[in-house]
Structures are given as C-alpha cells and as structure tokens.
Amino acid sequence: DVKVTQSSRYLVKRTGEKVFLECVQDMDHENMFWYRQDPGLGLRLIYFSYDVKMKEKGDIPEGYSVSREKKERFSLILESASTNQTSMYLCASSGGAPGELFFGEGSRLTVL
Amino acid sequence: DQQVKQNSPSLSVQEGRISILNCDYTNSMFDYFLWYKKYPAEGPTFLISISSIKDKNEDGRFTVFLNKSAKHLSLHIVPSQPGDSAVYFCAASDSGDYKLSFGAGTTVTVRA
C-alpha cells in the first residue's frame, strides 16, 4: 500500500523557534509538495519539488524553506516560527496521472 | 486570490438523498479537475477527476459534471451514505503541471 509519512502529527513550538517538518514517501515518486490547510482557505501550496535538489515556490512561500536531498524525503523548514504559521501542514507526492496526489496524515503545528 | 472557489462551506443531507457540491474556477488555463475527500485527522484522498475534453465522469455513486463555458463543476453523490460525511475539496490544474489549486472545501454531513 502506498504511503506518505509525516514525522510529527502534533507539534507545539514557541515564536522564533526553528521548526522541521519531515515527509517520506515510499512510492518512488518524482514530485513532492507541501500544503497548509486553514479554515475557509482550503489547501494552499507552500513549496514543491519535481526532482532531488530541486525546489520551486508555491503560492505562499514566505517564511518557509524546503530541502530535498533524497528522492523519498521532502522537508519543510520554518526558520523562525510565528503565530500566523499555526496551521495543519500536509505533505503530498505524485508520480502518475497529473493532479492525483497522495497525502500524508498531516502535521498540526501550534506556535505560541 | 483563490482561483478555485467553493462558496458553500457546509451541506447537510439526509441519508439516501442526493448531495450536490459546487465549485467555480477563474483560471481559463485549468483543464483538469479533481475532487478530494478528507476525514478528520487524515490526509485528503483522491475521489474522482475529469478532463476538460469531457463534460461528465461517473464512478459508482459519484458523478462529476463540468461546464467549461461557465467555469463551473459539480460533484453529485447518489445516494448519500453516512460514510460520505467528510470535507470535500475541489481542485484544478493545467494538465501540463503536477501542482493543484484547491478550493476552501465543503463539509458534508449525512443525517441518518
């Protein structure tokens, strides 16, 4: 069964802390994505990657960076967490039909 | 500005009746449309899709209709079942692109 695994389901951090969200997929997919989900706003794309070492900004990249050193792993980094980054973060991968994403279970981040 | 809009945040329907979810888009480059379903504490899962060369696609109880001239699509669930209670996201892409733009979601509640 295909799987996208996000390392932390729930995190609580303080303003200014550095936060790492890890995502691993076991489907040998080329493409990986980070979205955040907020009420009334749906899913918004933060960053994506179509290949190892490659990254592209999505619609809301400010305050975030990413790392893709290996094909199966895509990390989201908050260099200095702020309260407006409190959200549900969803990682996804795809490798087949365009648009058909496989999502992880999400990481709920609270920044105090 | 959101390019995919779901203007109804919630929908309540009786078991056995039809659920109709609506979605509008503004980007004329979009030519591939998808619906995702999300249960609480889980990631979204792909439900059904439609290409702009079609105006209807059916999969069991789920049918998606596309009206390109109106830039509108809808998802019909017939008959609705309690297990259909979830958040439904409409998504769209340019078929040459793997990344998706999502709507804000519609929460469906199926009453017994």
Side-chain angles (χ1 to χ4, degrees), chain B residues 79-94:
Chain B
S80 299
Q81 299 175 353
D84 298 330
S85 295
V87 180
Y88 290 79
F89 291 100
C90 174
S93 74
D94 172 348

Side-chain angles (χ1 to χ4, degrees), chain A residues 9 31 33 35 37 40-43 45 48 50 90 94 96 98-101 103-105, chain B residues 2 32 34 36 38 41-44 46 49 89 93 95 97-104:
Chain A
R9 294 295 303 275
N31 313 308
F33 308 84
Y35 286 86
Q37 181 195 353
L41 297 175
L43 279 68
L45 182 62
F48 59 101
Y50 289 159
L90 292 161
S94 75
E100 293 189 26
L101 305 184
F103 282 89
E105 293 183 319
Chain B
Q2 280 198 300
Y32 192 62
L34 308 93
Y36 280 79
K38 185 181 185 301
E42 295 183 13
F46 168 74
S49 63
F89 291 100
S93 74
S95 62
D97 198 345
Y98 280 90
K99 61 183 189 292
L100 299 180
S101 294
F102 284 85

Side-chain angles (χ1 to χ4, degrees), chain A residues 1 7 50 76 85 94 102-103 109:
Chain A
D1 199 15
S7 56
Y50 289 159
L76 181 69
Q85 292 179 310
S94 75
F102 293 87
F103 282 89
L109 172 66

Side-chain angles (χ1 to χ4, degrees), chain B residues 8 11 13 17-22 35 65 72-78 80 106 108:
Chain B
S8 297
L11 172 69
V13 64
R17 305 296 289 267
I18 185 171
S19 295
I20 300 176
L21 292 78
N22 293 302
W35 287 91
F65 296 91
H72 177 84
L73 61 154
S74 61
L75 175 68
H76 292 208
I77 307 173
V78 184
S80 299
T106 297
V108 172

Side-chain angles (χ1 to χ4, degrees), chain A residues 21-44:
Chain A
L21 299 178
E22 304 284 340
C23 175
V24 177
Q25 50 98 0
D26 65 0
M27 295 165 279
D28 201 34
H29 283 167
E30 301 287 340
N31 313 308
M32 297 189 74
F33 308 84
W34 275 105
Y35 286 86
R36 63 178 279 178
Q37 181 195 353
D38 299 289
L41 297 175
L43 279 68
R44 293 179 292 165

